[in-house]
Amino acid sequence: MEKINNTIFYTLEKSIKTYRQFAQKEISAKGIDITIDQWLVLKTIQEDSSISQQQLAVKVFKDFASITRMIELLVKKGYLIRNFHKEDRRRFELILSAEGVTIIKLLQPIIQNNREVALKNISKSDIQKLDSILSNIISNINNTAK
C-alpha cells in the first residue's frame, strides 16, 4: 500500500495549503485586514453582481453558513453592502462598497505578485497542461457522481 504523501492528491492539497498560507502572510505583511477567502468573496461579487448567496457559496467552495458569516463580517468591515433583493425578499442583494472596490484594487498587485512567485520557473505550457489534467480529474469525479 502506498504512503499517503506519495499520492498526487496529497501533493495537490499540500501545494494549495502552502500557497494560501504564503498569500495570506503577504497580505497581512502589508497591513491589510482581509483573508484570502474574504477577498475571493469580494472578487466573485465584483465579477457577478447578481450572484445569490447560494451561488456564491458554490463558486467559492464554502458551505452556506460560512458564506453567511463571511458576508456579515465583510459588511461590518465596510467592504460590502447587503440589501434586501428588490424582487425576492428572501434573498439579499450584495453590493461592493467604495471601500470594497478600493481593497480589491489595493490587493490586485499583491495577488499578482503572489501568483508570479508561486509559478516561477513553470512554463505556460506546463500550466496549461496542469489545468487540463485537473479539469479531467474534476470531470471524472463529476461524471461518476451522477
Side-chain angles (χ1 to χ4, degrees), residues 9-19:
F9 297 104
Y10 179 87
T11 305
L12 184 59
E13 185 71 21
K14 185 175 179 180
S15 69
I16 292 167
K17 298 248 188 246
T18 302
Y19 175 76

Side-chain angles (χ1 to χ4, degrees), residues 24-91:
Q24 187 63 61
K25 184 177 148 203
E26 292 298 305
I27 290 169
S28 297
K30 303 285 191 227
I32 302 171
D33 181 29
I34 195 165
T35 67
I36 297 291
D37 287 335
Q38 290 168 358
W39 172 82
L40 190 56
V41 166
L42 292 178
K43 187 70 174 156
T44 302
I45 293 168
Q46 181 189 44
E47 291 175 1
D48 181 1
S49 61
S50 67
I51 196 166
S52 71
Q53 280 188 232
Q54 204 100 27
Q55 293 166 326
L56 183 61
V58 170
K59 189 135 187 180
V60 299
F61 314 109
K62 298 291 177 191
D63 60 62
F64 192 71
S66 295
I67 282 297
T68 301
R69 285 190 301 272
M70 267 195 268
I71 288 170
E72 184 65 32
L73 191 57
L74 289 167
V75 168
K76 283 181 184 175
K77 287 183 175 187
Y79 298 146
L80 199 56
I81 299 165
R82 180 182 52 204
N83 296 323
F84 283 107
H85 195 275
K86 291 173 182 74
E87 296 159 10
D88 185 352
R89 301 283 292 167
R90 296 169 295 174
R91 289 181 52 198

Side-chain angles (χ1 to χ4, degrees), residues 124-142:
K124 284 189 183 218
S125 65
D126 283 345
I127 292 169
Q128 289 170 339
K129 185 168 186 155
L130 177 60
D131 186 58
S132 176
I133 291 167
L134 295 174
S135 293
N136 283 339
I137 291 171
I138 293 165
S139 179
N140 291 343
I141 299 301
N142 286 339

